[in-house]
Amino acid sequence: MSETRVPILMYHAVATDPSEATRALSVTPEAFTEQMAVLADRGLTPVTTARLAACWRSGRALPERPVLITFDDGYEGVHRHALPVLAKHGFPATLFVSTGWLRGPYDTGGGLDTMLDWDQVRELAAAGVEIGGHSHSHPQLDQVSDATLRFELIHCKEIVSDQLGTVPASFAYPYGYSSRRVRQAVRETGYAQALAVGNGLARRAQGPYALRRVTVRRSTEIEEFERVVEGRAIARTFAGDRALTKGYAVVRRVRQARRLVSRSVG
């Protein structure tokens, strides 16, 4: 029996006129509506991140043709535009929030566009959207100190718990970057599973702290979206992304090594 491979869709902003900073990784409300219709028409079954990981952890069967719908950062359009479409189809989803970017008492002013406020996050949660962590200030976690790393993970978790009354179980790495140290810290601070990017289908063998996602962006045509959710031509579709990721990974390792050397010398 072949291993189940699950498309985990990674969205950011859903907006007609997004900021320049979010435009490339945004989708229009019309595109999102069409994409959700594809999932419904093809009989895919959306599940939350927590449910997918729980099934793989316990060995319980997943529903027929599972797919995950995830949103990063916490843009206001997820409530304004995406939620009505999700509700129409009865689709669950997962929203990963950067707590310092959301409007309200913890806002650090770092948000890249109009962000959700906590009332909207609570409405999303009440509608069946799993709320996960995405750090507090959205740094590159593999490039920060151990103390900063733990602060980003714990402070995010504490704020979500305080605002929603439930402890977030899932995490998504800002920028998709992680390392063994980051994954270990995510596990130690109580998150049960975490999502990367990788632009490939998720498999149980990846482990609960490195599940891959596929990027949905403004340039994603509906034919490409259909291929992705069917699991076809993934490597060819994201060949450019993977090449850039591999190249930048080398740069990041060099930077991290230099930082460690400078600390030890200092």
Side-chain angles (χ1 to χ4, degrees):
M1 185 175 177
S2 62
E3 182 184 24
T4 301
R5 296 171 182 261
V6 179
I8 303 181
L9 307 174
M10 182 182 69
Y11 290 95
H12 287 78
V14 182
T16 300
D17 188 23
S19 68
E20 283 306 309
T22 63
R23 178 171 294 276
L25 285 177
S26 70
V27 297
T28 66
E30 294 77 16
F32 184 77
T33 298
E34 187 177 15
Q35 289 161 3
M36 293 303 101
V38 167
L39 300 186
D41 292 345
R42 299 198 171 211
L44 277 81
T45 306
V47 298
T48 63
T49 303
R51 183 179 178 191
L52 174 70
C55 286
W56 275 346
R57 190 176 285 110
S58 66
R60 294 198 307 271
L62 284 163
E64 195 71 22
R65 306 195 70 199
V67 62
L68 272 67
I69 304 161
T70 71
F71 302 91
D72 282 8
D73 302 344
Y75 299 101
E76 193 266 347
V78 175
H79 181 276
R80 179 188 301 270
H81 300 298
L83 180 57
V85 180
L86 296 171
K88 172 187 173 183
H89 293 289
F91 286 170
T94 305
L95 166 67
F96 295 102
V97 294
S98 294
T99 49
W101 283 13
L102 302 189
R103 289 181 288 153
Y106 309 102
D107 190 352
T108 62
L112 301 178
D113 205 335
T114 303
M115 310 303 292
L116 294 162
D117 63 32
W118 284 102
D119 284 340
Q120 292 171 321
V121 174
R122 281 186 282 271
E123 288 177 16
L124 285 159
V129 176
E130 177 192 359
I131 308 301
H134 196 45
S135 79
H136 183 59
S137 65
H138 204 281
Q140 298 177 8
L141 292 177
D142 60 337
Q143 302 293 303
V144 301
S145 68
D146 289 345
T148 299
L149 171 60
R150 294 187 70 85
F151 170 81
E152 287 286 336
L153 299 174
I154 293 171
H155 197 45
C156 174
K157 188 175 184 180
E158 290 176 341
I159 291 173
V160 173
S161 301
D162 178 65
Q163 290 293 315
L164 302 185
T166 56
V167 180
S170 305
F171 188 83
Y173 305 108
Y175 305 102
Y177 303 138
S178 71
S179 63
R180 181 177 297 178
R181 177 180 70 104
V182 171
R183 293 189 290 273
Q184 180 177 338
V186 169
R187 182 174 64 250
E188 289 175 352
T189 50
Y191 295 95
Q193 52 273 331
L195 302 184
V197 182
N199 284 310
L201 300 181
R203 298 180 294 116
R204 185 179 183 180
Q206 291 162 3
Y209 294 97
L211 296 174
R212 291 184 176 182
R213 293 188 285 175
V214 290
T215 307
V216 186
R217 47 171 67 96
R218 211 165 187 85
S219 61
T220 302
E221 300 289 344
I222 195 64
E223 295 80 10
E224 178 184 325
F225 182 83
E226 291 171 345
R227 289 196 302 270
V228 167
V229 298
E230 293 286 349
R232 294 184 286 112
I234 299 292
R236 184 170 74 248
T237 299
F238 294 104
D241 296 83
R242 288 179 169 181
L244 288 172
T245 298
K246 288 180 180 179
Y248 198 41
V250 174
V251 174
R252 298 173 69 76
R253 284 195 293 270
V254 170
R255 287 177 179 172
Q256 180 67 2
R258 287 175 177 170
R259 262 192 282 272
L260 292 173
V261 169
S262 65
R263 286 175 194 162
S264 62
V265 172

